[in-house]
Amino acid sequence: MFGWIKNKDKRADELILANKEKDKRADALVLANKEKDNRADELVLANQEKDKRADELISANQEKDNRADELILANQEKDKRADELILANQEKDKRADELVLANQEKDKRADELVLANQEKDKRADELVLANKELAFQNQEKDKRADELAIANQEKDKRADELAIANQEKDKRADELILANKELAFQNQEKDSRADELVLANQEKDKRADELAIANQEKDKRADELAIANQEKDKRADELILANKELAFQNQEKDKRANELAIANQEKDKRADELAIANQEKDKRANELVLANQELAFQNKEKDKRANELMFANKEKDKRADELTLANKEKDKLADELAITASVFSHAREGISITDSTGTIIDVNATFTTITGYSREEAIGQNLRIFKSGRQSPEFYADIWQTVLNDGFWSGDIWSCRKNGEVYPEMLNISSVKDIAGHISNYVTLFTDITSMKEYQSQLEHIAHYDVLTHLPNRKLLADRLSQAMLQCDRHQLSLAVAFLDLDGFKAVNDTHGHDVGDQLLTALSLRMKEVLRECDTLARIGGDEFVAVLADLARDEDCKPVLDRLLLVTSEPVLIGKLVLNISASIGVSFYPKDGVDADQLMRCADQAMYVAKELGKNCYHLLDMAQDEAVKVQKESLEAIQSALKNHQFLLYYQPKVNMKTGEVIGVEALMRWQHPTRGLLKPDEFLPTMENNALSIEFGEWVIDTALTQISQWQKTGLNLPISTSVNIVAAQLRQPDFTQRLKALLAAHPDVEPGYLELEILEKNALDDVHHVSTIMQACMALGVKFALDDFGTGYSSLTYLKRLPAKVINIDPSFVRNMLHDADDFAIVEAVIALAKPFKRSVIAKGVETIEQGMALLQLGCELAQGNSIAKPMLTRDVPEWVANWKPDASWNPDANWKI
């Protein structure tokens, strides 16, 4: 029994120990549960932190969504502005197209105008190429616009509405300048909107960057949440294992530990609740993970949409840039077309454009002003409507043949206005060829030169008629006298030269003044002209001196009735105002061919006879009775003396410099002939040259002058004096008429190979050049081919000189010294000098004023625009040895300085 008790006690002790162990384990379990609770609390805190972070992530995502929405709104605004830009570009394209259509009507005009001016051919070709390029660019633009329209149906609808609105605005774009201004304004607006679009894109890029950063932060937080969930799962697994172990231990406990079991059950209940709470938290965590994944997916979709939007915007920007470049090209082409159209419309020349048959297809405003035909009336007409009838059909045939051969024709022509008025014009005709080389059009440019012709006629009248009496002057008298002499030779008749001087005219001038004297001269000239025959000529050669040429006389006595009438009308009283003036005339008469062989000799003989009449008591006439053989004898003796002097080297050349009065440059010298006569001393040309006129000796003498001048040029070159200009030599008429003149000149130049032909300048008297303009022009062209230069001497003294000026290739005009000498005292001479200088400019001729004797004359010439001069005020003719020193030391007068205060 004691043994059983001992065993029971032993078992109780063991049970106590077991309970103690169980209590110890329960305490450990409690501690573990507390630890688990702590860990659960930490997990709750972690979950709360996770929730907080999830909330922050949600807020970040909401912020991201807001920014994405703002980006979408910005992109929508950008799309709207891009649409507006496209609409503006379409408006611009429409107006540019309308401008092109408007300019297409003027294409032929512009092309033919450009082709009329050969210098602008290249620009016309470039314009055609540019139009083709513009058409290609427009096609490309339309293609891109179609693609953009397909991408956005709403934009297509707006484009269609804009097209309808543009159709209503077609008429408003008719004026090119207003359309260009509107186009420029739209370009500025487009540039402004493009800048706004760029700023919006920059803002979009900035927000996209912020969204990317937020997404990165969100991804980082999602990663942290996943790690926390993994830690939570691990702890939950450990808790389940601990609970299983606790349940197993509780089953082993004794019934005697019921209370402890109950406590454990309570603890189990609490653990179960904790597990349920953990499961709930796990569920929430899983839902949060799913929400984050969904949010991440949505963010990826938004990023994808943002990238697509960015790509679309870049494509729009690219197309906008292409539209901008195309618009700039259109602007440039429109400007070029506008300039071309402006040149055609505002040209001061009349311009007409025809097809290959000569039918007019377009004209400019100046054409209408000159011809009187409106544009509508002219188009469809042939150029033949302008024929005046003053030129032969062969003349027009030659013109068109020249155009066909050379591509152009230029010259003066008589044309007819719409009202039938015939007028002169300067006409240029050019042919226009197509790509195949066939003539497609003709372009004519013309200018009405009526005023120029009238001015030329006035100048010719001034040069050949007396301003006061309107009678022929000395120059025209010489021409008519020469013509009358030829007529007499042809019909075996004679003529009389009556030299008339008024008696007592100087007293009238001194007593009553020059105005009364001028009126008296005018009245007497009318009276004398009335008593002459139709074939006679009356001229005033200066002051109170007149010359009458009485032609077609069968006998010398046939002139006496005319002379009697002249004496009668000059001696009759002349009433001027309240004055009654009485004067008379003394007349000297010479006859051709009895008293002279040339005009100058006849004039001198008549002048001598007039002085005889004055000695006889005035108011009478005296007929010269000089034996013709005596004159021939004197002429022969003079020629023999000249021939002998030429062989004995009695002739020599003096040189008179030519200068530029403004710059002080010596531009050349003129070789002047002198005769060192053994008994009479040094003789000037006017004392021996007239004797040789129209004689073979003048040819030999002229060649001697050229050879001597070339020799002197060579000597100057050897001594170091290289005048960078020409040495002028006068050529007489007989020498110029020689058929082999060019060959002789070539031989003279070949004899001096060291002399450049350009240093030699040949001066031709104007009257000699006009005897046979075609022949002289041919000779001049041949000589110029050798390098020799030409000058037209004594300009203004010849008849019809202005008419033939353009046909003579002389580049220099020498104003006759007689005009320069009296230009400051004679208004007529001053007017002639001024007119010659003005006339030389359009013909591109240099002008040298000869006979400048005073500083004042030089100043007046400079004021008129003539800088080149020769005369004694600059330098008198000098020997060869004096030329180098003079050239080295000469300076122009200080009064000729352009800065001087000129007063003439």
Side-chain angles (χ1 to χ4, degrees), residues 483-500:
Q483 297 296 327
M485 292 167 63
L486 293 174
Q487 189 76 6
C488 289
D489 291 339
R490 190 177 296 112
H491 297 95
Q492 298 298 314
L493 298 173
S494 62
L495 64 80
V497 176
F499 198 109
L500 185 150

Side-chain angles (χ1 to χ4, degrees), residues 533 550 552-563 591:
R533 300 169 303 167
L550 310 179
D552 297 340
L553 300 177
R555 300 176 303 162
D556 293 348
E557 293 78 9
D558 292 343
C559 69
K560 291 183 178 180
V562 179
L563 297 175
F591 296 94

Side-chain angles (χ1 to χ4, degrees), residues 530-806:
E530 288 176 355
V531 300
L532 294 178
R533 300 169 303 167
E534 185 176 354
C535 62
D536 298 335
T537 297
L538 178 65
R540 181 189 178 210
I541 61 174
D544 57 352
E545 295 177 338
F546 297 83
V547 172
V549 178
L550 310 179
D552 297 340
L553 300 177
R555 300 176 303 162
D556 293 348
E557 293 78 9
D558 292 343
C559 69
K560 291 183 178 180
V562 179
L563 297 175
D564 290 335
R565 292 197 296 270
L566 288 174
L567 290 175
L568 179 62
V569 296
T570 54
S571 61
E572 290 179 348
V574 178
L575 179 63
I576 299 177
K578 296 181 179 181
L579 293 176
V580 178
L581 303 177
N582 288 280
I583 61 172
S584 61
S586 298
I587 305 174
V589 183
S590 62
F591 296 94
Y592 177 81
K594 182 179 70 173
D595 297 332
V597 295
D598 58 41
D600 289 340
Q601 189 174 2
L602 288 174
M603 293 283 288
R604 288 196 298 271
C605 291
D607 187 26
Q608 294 173 7
M610 183 270 296
Y611 281 105
V612 174
K614 282 189 176 290
E615 292 175 357
L616 293 176
K618 304 180 180 180
N619 195 22
C620 64
Y621 60 82
H622 177 72
L623 305 179
L624 184 67
D625 187 10
M626 182 184 294
Q628 184 177 2
D629 57 345
E630 182 66 23
V632 174
K633 180 181 178 181
V634 173
Q635 175 80 0
K636 183 177 179 181
E637 290 175 352
S638 299
L639 291 173
E640 290 175 350
I642 293 173
Q643 183 73 43
S644 175
L646 190 60
K647 292 181 180 180
N648 295 325
H649 307 292
Q650 295 178 4
F651 290 101
L652 66 159
L653 294 181
Y654 274 52
Y655 296 89
Q656 188 172 32
K658 303 177 183 179
V659 301
N660 187 311
M661 298 182 290
K662 184 176 180 180
T663 65
E665 179 186 5
V666 179
I667 65 169
V669 293
E670 181 181 6
L672 301 174
M673 293 155 281
R674 297 291 187 268
W675 183 2
Q676 190 63 54
H677 199 278
T679 59
R680 298 170 60 190
L682 190 66
L683 302 181
K684 294 183 178 181
D686 56 358
E687 296 180 354
F688 56 89
L689 283 183
T691 305
M692 292 187 291
E693 188 173 2
N694 298 322
N695 190 278
L697 183 59
S698 63
I699 300 174
E700 180 182 357
F701 189 81
E703 292 183 354
W704 173 85
V705 172
I706 294 176
D707 183 72
T708 304
L710 291 172
T711 301
Q712 185 56 57
I713 294 173
S714 177
Q715 292 177 358
W716 277 334
Q717 290 179 339
K718 292 177 181 178
T719 58
L721 179 65
N722 289 320
L723 294 176
I725 29 66
S726 57
T727 298
S728 303
V729 174
N730 288 283
I731 301 299
V732 298
Q735 185 179 6
L736 192 63
R737 295 192 199 101
Q738 292 301 304
D740 61 344
F741 175 78
T742 304
Q743 287 72 20
R744 286 175 174 266
L745 178 61
K746 185 176 182 180
L748 290 171
L749 291 171
H752 302 277
D754 57 334
V755 176
E756 288 289 336
Y759 284 166
L760 180 65
E761 182 181 80
L762 303 182
E763 294 187 355
I764 302 176
L765 289 176
E766 182 189 19
K767 62 180 180 180
N768 294 337
L770 297 180
D771 287 342
D772 187 348
V773 175
H774 178 72
H775 175 68
V776 173
S777 177
T778 303
I779 292 177
M780 292 173 67
Q781 294 286 0
C783 295
M784 289 173 68
L786 301 176
V788 177
K789 301 177 181 177
F790 277 88
L792 202 59
D793 205 19
D794 294 349
F795 187 80
T797 61
Y799 182 66
S800 299
S801 59
L802 301 180
T803 304
Y804 298 103
L805 177 60
K806 65 179 181 180

